[in-house]
Amino acid sequence: MDKDPQLQLRIFDLNCWAIRYLSKLRQERLSLIGDFLCQEEFDLALLQEVWSERDYWELKKKLCAHYPSSHYFKSGVIGSGLCIFSKHQILDTFLFQYSVNGYPYMFQHGDWFGGKSVGLVVLKIQEIIFNIYVTHLHAEYCREKDGYLPHRVVQAWELAQFIRHTSNGADVIMLGGDLNMHPEDVGIRLLRGWTGLKDSFIAAEQVNGNEDGCTLVPANCFTGKKELQCYPQGIRIDYILYKGLSQYDVRCNSHETTTGTAPKKDIPYSDHEAVMATLSIEKKSDKSQKHFTVEPVLVDILNEARMEVRVGLHSAERQRYSCGRMGILALLLLLMQGAMGLNSVFGGGLQQSFPKFSFSLLGLLAVLIFLISAVLCLFHTIEVKVLQGTEEQMRVALQTIQSKLSSG
Amino acid sequence: MDKDPQLQLRIFDLNCWAIRYLSKLRQERLSLIGDFLCQEEFDLALLQEVWSERDYWELKKKLCAHYPSSHYFKSGVIGSGLCIFSKHQILDTFLFQYSVNGYPYMFQHGDWFGGKSVGLVVLKIQEIIFNIYVTHLHAEYCREKDGYLPHRVVQAWELAQFIRHTSNGADVIMLGGDLNMHPEDVGIRLLRGWTGLKDSFIAAEQVNGNEDGCTLVPANCFTGKKELQCYPQGIRIDYILYKGLSQYDVRCNSHETTTGTAPKKDIPYSDHEAVMATLSIEKKSDKSQKHFTVEPVLVDILNEARMEVRVGLHSAERQRYSCGRMGILALLLLLMQGAMGLNSVFGGGLQQSFPKFSFSLLGLLAVLIFLISAVLCLFHTIEVKVLQGTEEQMRVALQTIQSKLSSG
């Protein structure tokens, strides 16, 4: 089983912003993305926010010559938006849907409906097993007062745990996606610290494109200028992360982003910039290295993450309590109305003057409030369980890390 | 790193049937279970249907001397019911919640509220890494007309995929739980075929307890006699499955079930019988064996499973369509009512005779039907996505198996 001394892979990652009826110039942009992928002949294209399966099938039709193998991950109400196009045969696929992902009643944000997940495909290239992960975490709508931060931290933790537990059979692992976190955010530090993944932007021997590798830049005409007010250069929230396991070394030869508009066109591919990386994989002579090593800094990161989860837990418990109270009030109102109704029917005298219309309108309101409160109370109960469970998982991990560190 | 020539582990598995306010003699039975576990000093106790965390904490208090490490898996509205008590330190935990699990409106069955999952804990005993899985699949309420079969097949597939993908780092894997499937059912064949897990009942050198290893037996006073009408001996739906990975060989020395009543008591531990197995783990001399081998029969099993998933898909699509149609009808009724209401307000003449009361009651009904239909339509849309996604995952796996088989 003689292997090539060096295998080079070119990876493309983009949040395509392809929401039917909502995203501007969707079809033109998808067509540009397809052209670019055909022309560049990457080994792998990891796409997010391809919300419509019809768009996926059109891309598939266009890309089938250069990317004969592909997979669309289905989840949630409108899909996960995640898909992978590959030059190499996909051998197996698996999907893990995050346990929390915003709220169904936040229609204006809509993340909940997407069923945010991490998708895994397994490839074998020149006898080397690759686990390729693609994901998209919950968006950040307001950095100063980010109510979704606990959910995003839980997602980052579940992503890290999923990668840790599923990657032992692989020689090389790679993750691409819109993580909706800045490089210094606790979720990224947790993910990188817990899995040992390297950031292609930081590790690359050569970097091209936007300054600081930014993928959400003011130069892009589709980007909301308001959200970048504090970041005149833009922000980096899309990543390609990678790691060679015991037998293999992976180096990042180059990291590149697109810069605002597609070459020779006046529109960009998306509201995000694409990330492209060239990785070279080499067999190691020293095979003794462990899959996961533990750094002391991880203890602080995990504690910081637990704190965020606890903040989320308090908020979820408060919301569950509010919904429960509202439901009980609505039920009391209904009971009172029932009693008054019965009284008016059997009490006799009042029947003529009984305000049936406003009475039944009030009843309608009470029933509605009761139903909505009950469903929301159920929802927040699930959220509480997930946050408690995550905190407990983190506690077990922390214990293990600490005993590893103390035993040297 | 010299290892003991042979490591022996004793495993206990039981569906505890501990539903607060519903299960008969819950506290007495849990106390008996606790006594038995203390007395027998198993290495691992895998429990299902411990629905109340308070019951878990009481068991934990009782068992802490013999089982210092334990974990309760939280998910769904009322928890997963799954917990593990271990003599050996738990190093890591992870939870995968199945994508489908019955319907929230089937209150009488209630499976949906449990958030059925597979829980994983990682142990290290004498330098051997163990991945221990505990799970509980959707119940079967009517074998002749089992509407939940597609959901159970999806769960069995996700369980198999979860084990396949997370077990590569382990030396030995073990699964215990109430799988709610008979040994010859497609889900069990799929799970065993796709993971290579061995059934402790079949592989055991010595078998004790109920005939055919049955775990739901008529002799148990809590078991519904009606559901066992066709099976006078009982059925076997609780399992301990195991596998040694490349470096290790696992043998099952003995397999035992409890038989109706607890020793010297007149009540059983649960409505299920407990399964107990003694496994011995030995280092292999021949390390060449692959982790997962592919048998030609797997093609037929996968095709059979895909067929079940497709049956579920048709049913989910029908239900989504019905809910959508109902929602649209309710919306039309509301619109008509709105038009009539406006007409009565601005039309003048009819105002006196307008039947406000029955009109608003009808409005209430229409709003209720619309809301419920919308939520159910959303729910069945998610179900459709999951079933489609599973079918696609199975298709990819089938393709890989076929190409492996044809390449010899």
Side-chain angles (χ1 to χ4, degrees):
Chain A
M1 220 160 59
D2 222 33
K3 282 164 197 109
D4 267 13
Q6 200 177 46
L7 168 69
Q8 213 173 46
L9 293 186
R10 291 178 63 230
I11 324 290
F12 176 89
D13 169 82
L14 175 64
N15 176 329
C16 297
W17 188 48
I19 314 167
R20 260 188 132 75
Y21 314 115
L22 284 177
S23 300
K24 286 178 199 156
L25 303 173
R26 193 187 95 257
Q27 280 176 308
E28 290 86 335
R29 290 188 295 102
L30 281 175
S31 164
L32 280 180
I33 292 169
D35 292 342
F36 184 69
L37 290 178
C38 278
Q39 173 198 319
E40 289 287 327
E41 295 187 31
F42 292 98
D43 289 276
L44 276 166
L46 313 174
L47 307 183
Q48 302 98 53
E49 289 215 10
V50 180
W51 292 114
S52 147
E53 276 181 61
R54 210 179 300 166
D55 286 342
Y56 163 73
W57 285 104
E58 272 176 29
L59 270 176
K60 190 176 166 69
K61 212 162 63 190
K62 191 167 194 168
L63 299 179
C64 63
H66 296 296
Y67 305 84
S69 206
S70 69
H71 191 78
Y72 185 81
F73 293 96
K74 296 185 191 202
S75 82
V77 181
I78 49 169
S80 67
L82 306 173
C83 57
I84 292 186
F85 290 92
S86 166
K87 196 187 261 186
H88 314 274
Q89 176 73 37
I90 291 175
L91 299 180
D92 199 1
T93 65
F94 194 37
L95 185 74
F96 179 89
Q97 192 173 344
Y98 299 120
S99 314
V100 284
N101 184 34
Y103 306 98
Y105 50 81
M106 299 301 272
F107 292 109
Q108 74 278 30
H109 293 161
D111 290 65
W112 184 85
F113 293 88
K116 296 275 168 72
S117 312
V118 45
L120 159 64
V121 304
V122 180
L123 309 174
K124 198 186 215 173
I125 311 172
Q126 293 179 18
E127 296 301 316
I128 304 173
I129 305 278
F130 287 81
N131 270 21
I132 311 292
Y133 301 88
V134 59
T135 195
H136 184 189
L137 303 195
H138 197 292
E140 181 185 79
Y141 294 97
C142 169
R143 194 159 175 83
E144 289 68 44
K145 212 179 160 187
D146 182 13
Y148 297 115
L149 181 57
H151 282 204
R152 209 177 305 107
V153 170
V154 171
Q155 292 184 342
W157 170 252
E158 290 183 339
L159 173 59
Q161 281 283 75
F162 183 72
I163 292 176
R164 262 181 84 93
H165 284 286
T166 55
S167 60
N168 281 297
D171 297 314
V172 176
I173 56 180
M174 246 178 248
L175 164 67
D178 173 3
L179 302 182
N180 272 310
M181 299 184 282
H182 298 206
E184 71 282 6
D185 285 358
V186 62
I188 288 280
R189 283 182 285 132
L190 180 66
L191 172 65
R192 291 194 49 203
W194 195 225
T195 57
L197 285 165
K198 285 180 196 157
D199 184 337
S200 65
F201 172 73
I202 297 173
E205 290 155 3
Q206 194 188 345
V207 173
N208 292 312
N210 296 317
E211 206 171 334
D212 290 337
C214 293
T215 58
L216 217 58
V217 292
N220 184 308
C221 63
F222 297 127
T223 308
K225 300 297 166 286
K226 212 177 139 193
E227 58 179 310
L228 292 179
Q229 247 169 3
C230 305
Y231 304 96
Q233 278 182 54
I235 54 178
R236 184 158 76 91
I237 58 173
D238 299 83
Y239 298 83
I240 291 177
L241 305 172
Y242 64 89
K243 184 179 171 182
L245 302 195
S246 58
Q247 268 197 305
Y248 290 88
D249 247 340
V250 183
R251 279 187 310 125
C252 180
N253 305 120
S254 74
H255 173 103
E256 194 177 344
T257 60
T258 51
T259 51
T261 53
K264 295 179 197 159
K265 302 277 169 185
D266 52 358
I267 58 164
Y269 295 112
S270 169
D271 60 345
H272 285 240
E273 300 304 321
V275 182
M276 293 160 281
T278 307
L279 303 178
S280 54
I281 293 107
E282 244 174 45
K283 201 156 187 178
K284 261 202 292 219
S285 45
D286 165 32
K287 293 179 187 176
S288 63
Q289 200 196 323
K290 278 187 182 170
H291 183 169
F292 295 111
T293 51
V294 176
E295 302 286 337
V297 69
L298 203 53
V299 173
D300 299 330
I301 298 174
L302 256 169
N303 276 323
E304 199 180 330
R306 278 177 86 191
M307 195 60 78
E308 284 305 337
V309 174
R310 263 189 231 129
V311 169
L313 184 56
H314 288 308
S315 145
E317 281 170 339
R318 263 201 318 275
Q319 281 173 294
R320 178 176 63 172
Y321 174 75
S322 305
C323 294
R325 195 180 48 184
M326 187 66 85
I328 289 170
L329 285 177
L331 202 64
L332 282 178
L333 181 63
L334 265 179
L335 287 175
M336 273 169 56
Q337 282 204 297
M340 282 167 69
L342 285 176
N343 188 40
S344 82
V345 171
F346 297 108
L350 287 164
Q351 207 157 3
Q352 284 309 311
S353 63
F354 190 72
K356 280 180 175 176
F357 181 62
S358 50
F359 189 80
S360 50
L361 269 187
L362 195 63
L364 165 69
L365 200 71
V367 168
L368 271 184
I369 291 177
F370 174 72
L371 273 183
I372 292 173
S373 305
V375 170
L376 287 184
C377 191
L378 223 71
F379 180 85
H380 287 298
T381 303
I382 295 176
E383 190 191 2
V384 165
K385 291 264 176 217
V386 170
L387 291 165
Q388 284 175 339
T390 306
E391 220 247 298
E392 178 63 17
Q393 265 192 35
M394 287 177 168
R395 199 192 53 74
V396 175
L398 208 51
Q399 221 172 17
T400 306
I401 292 172
Q402 275 163 337
S403 73
K404 258 190 196 168
L405 286 174
S406 64
S407 73
Chain B
M1 219 162 58
D2 222 34
K3 285 170 195 105
D4 267 11
Q6 200 176 43
L7 168 69
Q8 213 173 45
L9 292 186
R10 292 178 62 229
I11 325 289
F12 176 89
D13 170 82
L14 176 63
N15 176 328
C16 297
W17 188 47
I19 314 167
R20 258 186 134 74
Y21 315 114
L22 284 177
S23 300
K24 285 178 199 157
L25 304 172
R26 192 187 95 258
Q27 279 176 309
E28 290 86 335
R29 291 187 294 101
L30 281 175
S31 164
L32 280 180
I33 293 169
D35 293 341
F36 184 70
L37 290 179
C38 278
Q39 175 198 318
E40 289 286 329
E41 295 185 31
F42 292 98
D43 289 276
L44 276 168
L46 313 175
L47 307 183
Q48 303 98 53
E49 289 216 13
V50 180
W51 291 114
S52 146
E53 275 180 61
R54 212 179 297 166
D55 286 342
Y56 164 74
W57 284 104
E58 272 176 29
L59 270 176
K60 188 175 166 69
K61 212 161 66 189
K62 192 169 193 167
L63 299 178
C64 63
H66 296 298
Y67 305 83
S69 206
S70 69
H71 191 79
Y72 185 82
F73 294 97
K74 298 185 190 201
S75 82
V77 182
I78 50 169
S80 68
L82 307 173
C83 58
I84 292 186
F85 290 93
S86 166
K87 199 187 260 186
H88 313 274
Q89 177 72 39
I90 291 175
L91 300 179
D92 199 0
T93 65
F94 194 37
L95 186 74
F96 179 90
Q97 192 173 344
Y98 299 122
S99 314
V100 285
N101 183 34
Y103 306 99
Y105 50 82
M106 297 301 271
F107 292 109
Q108 74 277 31
H109 294 161
D111 291 65
W112 184 85
F113 292 89
K116 295 276 168 70
S117 312
V118 45
L120 159 64
V121 303
V122 180
L123 307 175
K124 197 187 215 172
I125 310 172
Q126 293 178 19
E127 297 299 318
I128 305 173
I129 305 278
F130 287 81
N131 270 20
I132 311 292
Y133 302 87
V134 59
T135 194
H136 184 190
L137 303 195
H138 198 292
E140 181 185 80
Y141 295 96
C142 170
R143 194 161 175 83
E144 289 68 44
K145 211 179 161 187
D146 183 12
Y148 298 115
L149 181 57
H151 282 205
R152 210 178 305 105
V153 170
V154 171
Q155 292 183 342
W157 170 252
E158 290 183 338
L159 173 59
Q161 281 283 75
F162 183 71
I163 292 176
R164 263 180 84 93
H165 284 286
T166 55
S167 61
N168 281 298
D171 297 314
V172 176
I173 55 180
M174 247 178 248
L175 163 68
D178 173 3
L179 303 183
N180 272 312
M181 298 185 284
H182 298 204
E184 71 281 8
D185 285 358
V186 61
I188 288 280
R189 284 182 283 130
L190 180 66
L191 172 65
R192 291 193 50 203
W194 195 224
T195 58
L197 284 165
K198 285 180 196 157
D199 184 337
S200 65
F201 172 75
I202 297 173
E205 290 154 4
Q206 193 187 344
V207 173
N208 291 311
N210 297 317
E211 208 172 330
D212 290 338
C214 292
T215 58
L216 217 59
V217 293
N220 185 309
C221 63
F222 297 128
T223 308
K225 300 294 166 287
K226 211 177 139 194
E227 57 178 310
L228 292 180
Q229 248 170 1
C230 305
Y231 304 95
Q233 280 181 53
I235 54 177
R236 185 159 75 93
I237 58 173
D238 299 84
Y239 298 82
I240 291 177
L241 306 172
Y242 63 90
K243 183 179 172 183
L245 302 197
S246 58
Q247 267 197 307
Y248 289 89
D249 246 341
V250 183
R251 280 187 310 124
C252 181
N253 305 119
S254 75
H255 173 104
E256 194 177 344
T257 60
T258 51
T259 52
T261 54
K264 296 180 196 160
K265 301 279 170 186
D266 51 359
I267 56 163
Y269 295 113
S270 169
D271 61 344
H272 285 240
E273 301 303 321
V275 182
M276 292 161 282
T278 306
L279 304 178
S280 54
I281 293 106
E282 244 175 44
K283 201 155 186 178
K284 262 200 293 214
S285 45
D286 165 33
K287 294 178 187 176
S288 63
Q289 200 196 323
K290 275 187 187 171
H291 183 168
F292 297 111
T293 50
V294 176
E295 303 286 336
V297 69
L298 203 53
V299 173
D300 299 330
I301 299 175
L302 256 169
N303 276 323
E304 199 180 331
R306 278 178 85 190
M307 196 59 79
E308 285 305 337
V309 174
R310 262 189 232 129
V311 170
L313 184 57
H314 287 310
S315 146
E317 281 170 340
R318 264 202 316 276
Q319 281 174 292
R320 179 177 63 172
Y321 174 75
S322 305
C323 294
R325 193 180 49 184
M326 185 66 85
I328 288 169
L329 286 177
L331 200 65
L332 282 177
L333 181 62
L334 264 178
L335 287 175
M336 272 168 59
Q337 282 204 296
M340 282 166 72
L342 285 175
N343 188 40
S344 84
V345 171
F346 298 109
L350 288 164
Q351 207 156 4
Q352 285 308 314
S353 64
F354 190 72
K356 279 181 176 176
F357 180 62
S358 50
F359 189 80
S360 49
L361 269 187
L362 195 63
L364 165 69
L365 198 72
V367 168
L368 272 183
I369 292 176
F370 174 72
L371 273 183
I372 293 172
S373 305
V375 170
L376 287 184
C377 190
L378 224 70
F379 180 85
H380 288 297
T381 303
I382 295 177
E383 190 191 1
V384 165
K385 292 264 175 213
V386 170
L387 292 164
Q388 285 175 339
T390 305
E391 220 245 299
E392 177 63 18
Q393 265 192 35
M394 287 177 167
R395 198 192 54 75
V396 175
L398 208 52
Q399 219 171 20
T400 305
I401 292 171
Q402 277 163 335
S403 74
K404 259 190 195 170
L405 286 174
S406 65
S407 73

